[in-house]
Amino acid sequence: MVCLEVSSYTSRAVICNRGAYLLEWSVSGKDIILPGDPDRPTWSGMAIMIPFANRIKNGEYEFEGIKYSLPRNKEGHAIHGLILNEEWSITYIGENSVSLEHVLKHPDYPTELTSIIKYTLVEGELDVEFIIKNTGLRSAPLVVGAHPYFIVSNDWMINTQGEILMCETVNKIPTGKLIPVDLNNTERREFDDCFLVNGDITLESHYSTIKIIRHGMPYIQLFTGVPNAIAIEPMSGAPDAYHNGMGLTIIKPGEEKNFRFTIKVLRA
C-alpha cells in the first residue's frame, strides 16, 4: 500500500492507493475528516464505494436475466461495494491533486468497469470526482458513493436546502418508498438512514462548519455509529438500488459517467 500527501495553502490530505482511500484531511492544521485506518476503512477516514453503495439485500441480485451472489457481511447482506481493499494504480500526482484508477473484474459483477477517482485540494476545499467507464461487453448496474466521517462536537446540526425525503427501510434495507422529513436542526442524534436531498448540505457544530455540494449524487446516508463523528455519505443511488432501482444508473458498453462532490470548510 502506498499513501500520498497532497496540499494547497492551508489544506493537507493523505490518500492511499488501497481502495483510493482518503486517510486524512486537515485545514489550517485541524482535522476535518476523522483520521482513518486502512484496515477498517468504513469506520474512519473516507472510503470509496463502487459499484454499489452500502447494502445489497441478501448479497444477491439479478441483472439482465443472470443471478449474481456477492460477498456478505455478518448481517447477511453485501455492503460497501467491491473495491475497498483493492489496489488502485496512481495515474497522476500533482502538488494539490492525485488521480487513481482501478479496473473491476469480479465474477459476480456483469462486466468490466474502469473507475478513476480524482482528489483535488484548493483553499479550504476538497473536490472528489468519479469517472466511471464500462470497458466490458455487457451493461453495468452502478451506484457510486463515498463514506466520509466528519469530526463534530455534540451540538452538531444539519441544514439542507429544498425538500428532504427519507428512505423507508426494513432491517436497514430501503423498500423504495420515500417519506418527507425535516432534518434541519433535528434533535435526533442517532442515524443509519438514507435520504434524498437535492440541495447542498451544511454540517455545523462548535468544532467546525462544512458544506457539501454534490453533482449527480442526490442521495446521502447518515451514520452516527462512531463517537465524536458523523458520516454524511454522498451517493448516486440508494442502498439496495440493484433491487429497488432508486438512483440506479445503467452504463452501456463503451459509455462513461461522471459524479462529483465538493466539501467546503466554512469555519475550522
Side-chain angles (χ1 to χ4, degrees):
M1 181 177 64
V2 176
C3 295
L4 305 169
E5 180 176 329
V6 294
S7 61
S8 176
Y9 300 101
T10 59
S11 290
R12 174 186 173 273
V14 178
I15 296 104
C16 299
N17 74 319
R18 187 200 296 170
Y21 180 58
L22 180 65
L23 184 71
E24 299 176 16
W25 179 39
S26 61
V27 173
S28 300
K30 187 173 186 176
D31 288 323
I32 303 301
I33 296 291
L34 185 68
D37 179 354
D39 294 325
R40 302 184 73 216
T42 59
W43 290 95
S44 55
M46 186 179 79
I48 299 295
M49 301 180 287
I50 301 171
F52 58 89
N54 294 301
R55 296 169 179 84
I56 299 294
K57 185 179 180 180
N58 298 328
E60 298 176 341
Y61 68 101
E62 183 175 326
F63 183 72
E64 294 186 340
I66 300 176
K67 293 183 178 180
Y68 299 92
S69 181
L70 297 163
R72 303 180 188 185
N73 66 358
K74 62 183 181 181
E75 297 173 336
H77 306 305
I79 195 166
H80 297 145
L82 295 172
I83 55 84
L84 279 182
N85 297 307
E86 296 295 313
E87 298 292 315
W88 289 55
S89 300
I90 300 164
T91 57
Y92 174 80
I93 306 171
E95 183 178 345
N96 70 324
S97 65
V98 61
S99 295
L100 305 99
E101 181 179 87
H102 178 265
V103 180
L104 175 66
K105 298 179 181 179
H106 193 280
D108 287 302
Y109 189 71
T111 192
E112 179 182 286
L113 201 67
T114 298
S115 301
I116 296 172
I117 302 294
K118 293 183 178 180
Y119 288 99
T120 304
L121 284 179
V122 296
E123 181 66 14
E125 296 183 13
L126 173 66
D127 186 79
V128 184
E129 184 178 4
F130 297 69
I131 303 168
I132 314 293
K133 186 172 183 179
N134 184 344
T135 47
L137 301 176
R138 301 186 65 241
S139 294
L142 178 70
V143 173
V144 303
H147 204 303
Y149 281 90
F150 299 101
I151 299 174
V152 291
S153 49
N154 290 334
D155 60 345
W156 60 264
M157 298 185 299
I158 293 174
N159 289 287
T160 61
Q161 301 171 347
E163 185 180 30
I164 307 162
L165 301 171
M166 185 173 72
C167 299
E168 178 188 70
T169 60
V170 175
N171 297 325
K172 300 180 182 180
I173 302 295
T175 65
K177 182 180 178 181
L178 293 167
I179 305 167
V181 295
D182 184 5
L183 270 179
N184 294 324
N185 302 315
T186 181
E187 294 182 2
R188 183 176 168 187
R189 299 285 95 181
E190 295 183 4
F191 289 93
D192 190 1
D193 299 278
C194 173
F195 300 84
L196 178 60
V197 183
N198 288 312
D200 299 339
I201 299 166
T202 301
L203 174 64
E204 182 177 3
S205 75
H206 182 74
Y207 185 83
S208 68
T209 302
I210 62 154
K211 178 181 282 189
I212 305 171
I213 303 164
R214 298 157 298 138
H215 304 276
M217 306 180 78
Y219 291 85
I220 62 166
Q221 184 84 8
L222 294 184
F223 179 62
T224 55
V226 173
N228 305 313
I230 180 169
I232 303 179
E233 307 167 36
M235 305 182 297
S236 63
D240 205 36
Y242 285 13
H243 292 120
N244 59 46
M246 300 172 72
L248 182 66
T249 298
I250 305 297
I251 308 183
K252 297 179 180 179
E255 194 174 14
E256 182 178 288
K257 297 289 184 180
N258 293 63
F259 310 87
R260 180 183 169 191
F261 67 94
T262 302
I263 305 167
K264 294 187 176 184
V265 177
L266 306 181
R267 177 181 56 82

